[in-house]
Amino acid sequence: MKKILLFIMLASIVPQVGAMEPEGSRVQKHWTYDIHQFSDNMTIIGLLNINGAEMRRTEMEIGAFCESQCRGSEILTYYPAVDKYMVFLMVYGVDNNAITFRLYDHKTGVELDATAAGLTFTVNAIHGLPANPYQFDFQS
């Protein structure tokens, strides 16, 4: 039980360690979702690439969807220790749901017309690590 509590505590802290954002720059997320609708989740630690170029802007948000329902979203955050803009995306759902991804640009206020390969929801799965992030490869 102590190990589980320690893991939960570390998991809630780790994404924030070393993260840098200009003061007052955190924007309101574009997509909303209700985490209480689902008892299960999976985590994706990743980089956003559009047409082969790594995104390095904190105005980009990725949303995870099952059909048209948002199941999680996160905004790119800069981590100077690894010099990367990454997302620690928590996705909520049911085993074997097909998850697709969308991008929203807070700078322009537009959802981008870009697609990336989806994933199959797997309870408690972790895709990517800070040292080896999952690659969200969007094509427009």
Side-chain angles (χ1 to χ4, degrees):
M1 183 66 168
K2 287 182 182 180
K3 286 182 182 181
I4 292 172
L5 290 175
L6 178 61
F7 177 76
I8 291 170
M9 188 171 66
L10 285 174
S12 67
I13 294 171
V14 169
Q16 303 308 315
V17 173
M20 285 188 62
E21 299 174 36
E23 195 168 321
S25 69
R26 193 66 172 173
V27 296
Q28 182 73 26
K29 288 184 180 178
H30 175 67
W31 290 294
T32 59
Y33 49 95
D34 182 2
I35 65 173
H36 304 292
Q37 285 184 319
F38 304 96
S39 61
D40 298 316
N41 62 59
M42 72 178 189
T43 303
I44 308 170
I45 302 167
L47 301 174
L48 305 183
N49 302 304
I50 299 178
N51 297 328
E54 184 179 321
M55 296 305 322
R56 297 183 61 84
R57 295 180 30 228
T58 57
E59 301 96 0
M60 298 301 293
E61 179 178 351
I62 186 170
F65 290 81
C66 181
E67 297 179 3
S68 64
Q69 184 183 37
C70 185
R71 299 291 182 88
S73 73
E74 193 54 66
I75 298 170
L76 272 178
T77 301
Y78 179 63
Y79 293 87
V82 291
D83 190 31
K84 299 267 186 222
Y85 287 75
M86 294 189 290
V87 290
F88 284 70
L89 176 63
M90 185 72 68
V91 180
Y92 301 89
V94 176
D95 234 0
N96 296 318
N97 280 167
I99 304 295
T100 58
F101 302 100
R102 299 182 194 168
L103 286 177
Y104 182 81
D105 187 341
H106 286 271
K107 187 173 184 176
T108 62
V110 173
E111 186 172 325
L112 302 180
D113 185 20
T115 57
L119 286 173
T120 300
F121 184 91
T122 305
V123 176
N124 297 327
I126 298 175
H127 297 275
L129 297 168
N132 186 22
Y134 179 85
Q135 301 290 320
F136 291 99
D137 290 318
F138 285 88
Q139 300 297 316
S140 62

